[in-house]
Amino acid sequence: MFSSFLSNLLLLLLAVVYANAEIQYHDFIVKETPVKRLCKRHRIITVNDQYPGPTLTVTDGDTLVIKVTNLARYNITLHWHGIRQLRTAWADGPDYITQCPIVPGATYVYQFTIIDQEGTLWWHAHASWLRATVHGALIIYPKLGKSYPFDKPQREYPIILGEWWNRDPNEVLRQATITGAAPNVSDAFTINGRPGDLYSCSNQGTSLFPVVSGETILFRFISASMNTELFVSIAGHLMTVVAADSAYTKPFTTTVMMLGPGQTTDVLVTADQPEGRYYIAARAYASAQGVPFDNTTVTAILEYKFSGCTAVHGAQTMPIPLVPLLPAYNDTATATAFSTSLRSPEPVNVPDPVNASLFFTVGLGLFNCPLGMTCGGPNGTRFGASINNVSFVLPSTISLLQAYYFDVPGIYTEDFPPEPPIIFDFTGNNISQSLQQPVQGTRVYRLKYGSVVQIVLQGTNIVGGEEHPMHVHGYQFYVLATGFGNFNPDVDTEKFNMVDPPERNTIGVPVNGWAVIRFLADNPGVWLVHCHIDAHLTWGLAMAFIVENGEGEDEKLLPPPFDLPVC
């Protein structure tokens, strides 16, 4: 009881350090809600009967206290994607990593303070495939007296990109888990929960964003997509990118963006075109060859408020929206050009020197089919995935953070390999079948507080190459470089951007390529690293690392603020 009191007191003290900081209280009720999409009625899991869920708007320095009551039939947790959770790893949310799930009928309270962050983030379920419908925007405004590093826009809109199945997403996952095959692709993409005009029975509910001629609008794009990276464009309008993953960028102008699952991008758009209606459209960037994907296109409408005789929906025929040009589904060059254009707005102090150098291979694999079963993967196998040939297995009786904090033995081992066990041509076309099968385990890697951590994320062509959007919980990191083929330290180190690298929390490791990230391990706790394509996470493309406590009292993990859920 005393530790909980102390934890609450410290969190509140952190909040009042910031002038005008507030403590916000929210009630989230997780339950089934009836909706109609693609001509059919469905019962989906929502928060407060909303799909997408409530938008949280906070100011840097605010404390959030969110009471979650689970009235659904599934276990659930919530993750606050991109929030650093400084010393409050208990509130991070991935199931069996920082907490046991909230079971049906139970309640849990998340409490954390926003510390030196601003921009566009989001929250989502982090159990099974519930995040398909359980997600929402989390917008952090600058402290009072501080402004955007660009002229304040006349209006702002969050735009959440999602995926929709005509079945319960958890049933899609369950079927894939039983058969070992890839899950069925989605039936539609969505913008703010709506598929848009190009789908059956959907034009009446198309998301609409009204603008006035001459205005500048800040669009906050969030990719809640489950398994698909997406190209995005706005017909007739240029987009000026000003932030990504809640970190400001050097502004640059583009006609197309690419967002992987988990990523956010803020753009400024000037309403400088003839008054009319213009599609905001998104469709797949499919980096894997020969793999089925959802090839549909989602649309929303940017609509000018018409001068003169105002057009009103239903009162007269509205003009047909202009359609943007989107890249080909496999246009890796355009996806790469966009991601490599991101830069920090000013020179940054990249952490140095490196004292924890890790090399992670990330990619797919195959498991032999158990005796007596029929499996739906290639040649009768089951799909798997791994980092450094270890396919991650979640514990089931206690979370990793609880096991670490309370020193519970037998839950995990600290032998996650810092480099692949076998060096081979990672992106070659003739990889030996002997390298296809990973080993399963709940292995973690331990880091000392204050370590400067550099990770080479190397994609592999085992089974098939694909871009992997890798998310690091609890941290923002600098992306020093990306490239194709096998990372060569003798050559590729020279390409590192040590002046103005972009700061992100989710980075796309290029198809059959690599990315190098670096961060300071200054946040104690247990943190998940995983591919944000949920099919890959389900197959084991994840690992966890422990960051030890530091020496000072302000460098230690706080005690859990409330009674933790029981597995």
Side-chain angles (χ1 to χ4, degrees):
M1 181 178 294
F2 177 75
S3 64
S4 294
F5 170 78
L6 179 61
S7 177
N8 286 324
L9 178 62
L10 287 172
L11 280 171
L12 294 178
L13 288 174
L14 282 171
V16 300
V17 166
Y18 291 79
N20 303 108
E22 295 182 357
I23 302 175
Q24 293 193 22
Y25 295 90
H26 298 273
D27 282 308
F28 276 16
I29 308 299
V30 180
K31 59 184 292 192
E32 285 192 359
T33 300
V35 301
K36 185 176 182 180
R37 296 291 187 277
L38 305 185
C39 312
K40 300 178 182 178
R41 294 198 176 276
H42 308 264
R43 296 189 66 84
I44 64 171
I45 308 301
T46 65
V47 168
N48 296 354
D49 289 319
Q50 299 177 43
Y51 168 57
T55 294
L56 298 176
T57 57
V58 300
T59 299
D60 182 19
D62 285 355
T63 292
L64 283 166
V65 182
I66 302 169
K67 179 181 177 182
V68 178
T69 301
N70 185 8
L71 301 183
R73 65 184 187 274
Y74 298 116
N75 292 346
I76 196 167
T77 65
L78 295 184
H79 169 53
W80 318 94
H81 187 109
I83 297 296
R84 289 212 55 202
Q85 299 292 357
L86 284 167
R87 304 174 62 208
T88 56
W90 305 104
D92 192 43
D95 63 336
Y96 299 106
I97 302 296
T98 60
Q99 68 172 95
C100 293
I102 309 166
V103 300
T107 294
Y108 183 63
V109 178
Y110 294 93
Q111 180 172 307
F112 54 92
T113 298
I114 311 295
I115 301 175
D116 293 331
Q117 289 188 270
E118 55 189 71
T120 303
L121 294 174
W122 63 302
W123 59 266
H124 60 81
H126 212 300
S128 301
W129 275 19
L130 291 176
R131 80 171 177 89
T133 56
V134 179
H135 57 251
L138 200 171
I139 297 170
I140 308 171
Y141 289 104
K143 299 175 191 175
L144 188 66
K146 185 181 177 184
S147 61
Y148 299 133
F150 45 81
D151 290 339
K152 185 176 180 179
Q154 279 73 39
R155 63 180 74 210
E156 302 181 9
Y157 291 116
I159 296 182
I160 302 179
L161 308 168
E163 279 183 273
W164 175 267
W165 279 264
N166 275 330
R167 297 172 57 198
D168 180 342
N170 270 0
E171 286 300 309
V172 175
L173 171 61
R174 190 177 73 88
Q175 178 184 349
T177 301
I178 291 172
T179 64
N184 292 340
V185 300
S186 53
D187 295 293
F189 298 115
T190 58
I191 290 178
N192 290 356
R194 301 286 181 173
D197 290 355
L198 305 184
Y199 296 92
S200 300
C201 307
S202 300
N203 60 343
Q204 293 299 314
T206 299
S207 295
L208 189 71
F209 302 99
V211 301
V212 174
S213 290
E215 285 184 334
T216 297
I217 305 96
L218 175 59
F219 286 109
R220 300 176 178 270
F221 283 90
I222 299 166
S223 179
S225 171
M226 293 290 288
N227 296 316
T228 309
E229 298 185 297
L230 293 167
F231 287 121
V232 184
S233 188
I234 304 176
H237 293 75
L238 295 174
M239 299 178 288
T240 300
V241 177
V242 293
D245 289 358
S246 78
Y248 294 118
T249 65
K250 277 188 175 70
F252 69 94
T253 300
T254 183
T255 59
V256 64
M257 299 185 297
M258 196 283 287
L259 284 83
Q263 293 182 324
T264 72
T265 304
D266 295 355
V267 300
L268 296 174
V269 174
T270 301
D272 57 2
Q273 296 302 300
E275 291 183 346
R277 307 171 84 222
Y278 300 83
Y279 273 138
I280 304 170
R283 72 179 184 189
Y285 164 49
S287 60
Q289 293 184 6
V291 175
F293 64 93
D294 184 341
N295 63 1
T296 62
T297 301
V298 60
T299 56
I301 297 174
L302 184 152
E303 180 177 274
Y304 284 69
K305 294 182 178 179
F306 294 91
S307 59
C309 181
T310 302
V312 179
H313 286 285
Q316 69 179 70
T317 301
M318 300 297 291
I320 297 174
L322 295 180
V323 180
L325 291 175
L326 286 164
Y329 297 114
N330 63 350
D331 191 345
T332 293
T334 294
T336 302
F338 175 76
S339 61
T340 56
S341 295
L342 296 168
R343 293 284 187 273
S344 289
E346 303 291 341
V348 298
N349 293 319
V350 178
D352 200 53
V354 173
N355 43 39
S357 184
L358 308 174
F359 190 104
F360 288 175
T361 53
V362 296
L364 305 185
L366 300 172
F367 290 111
N368 292 331
C369 190
L371 290 175
M373 289 185 63
T374 300
C375 296
N379 300 316
T381 60
R382 299 178 60 86
F383 274 108
S386 67
I387 299 178
N388 281 356
N389 204 48
V390 177
S391 187
F392 188 70
V393 177
L394 290 171
S396 59
T397 59
I398 190 173
S399 73
L400 292 181
L401 184 60
Q402 288 171 277
Y404 163 67
Y405 187 82
F406 296 109
D407 198 22
V408 179
I411 305 302
Y412 60 84
T413 58
E414 294 190 24
D415 57 348
F416 186 86
E419 57 189 26
I422 299 175
I423 303 300
F424 59 98
D425 183 1
F426 304 117
T427 58
N429 291 321
N430 297 302
I431 297 176
S432 170
Q433 290 187 358
S434 65
L435 298 171
Q436 290 183 351
Q437 186 147 325
V439 296
Q440 293 183 303
T442 308
R443 303 185 186 183
V444 304
Y445 190 85
R446 185 181 286 258
L447 293 167
K448 290 184 178 180
Y449 184 93
S451 299
V452 175
V453 184
Q454 179 171 293
I455 305 177
V456 176
L457 297 164
Q458 172 69 62
T460 73
N461 200 31
I462 298 175
V463 182
E466 186 172 356
E467 178 156 310
H468 297 283
M470 298 298 295
H471 175 46
V472 179
H473 286 235
Y475 285 89
Q476 293 275 108
F477 50 77
Y478 290 109
V479 181
L480 301 188
T482 61
F484 293 96
N486 299 327
F487 177 77
N488 183 342
D490 295 332
V491 175
D492 294 326
T493 302
E494 299 299 320
K495 303 174 185 176
F496 285 4
N497 178 2
M498 302 295 288
V499 178
D500 58 355
E503 191 177 4
R504 307 216 66 167
N505 62 55
T506 307
I507 177 62
V509 178
V511 53
N512 286 329
W514 51 267
V516 180
I517 65 174
R518 191 182 293 187
F519 61 92
L520 177 66
D522 60 352
N523 193 8
V526 178
W527 305 105
L528 183 65
V529 179
H530 68 96
C531 182
H532 222 281
I533 293 176
D534 272 37
H536 297 176
L537 173 59
T538 301
W539 293 337
L541 212 170
M543 62 84 64
F545 58 86
I546 294 170
V547 177
E548 300 173 340
N549 284 326
E551 297 295 329
E553 284 304 311
D554 61 348
E555 298 175 349
K556 299 182 186 300
L557 176 65
L558 292 171
F562 305 104
D563 291 336
L564 297 169
V566 177
C567 290

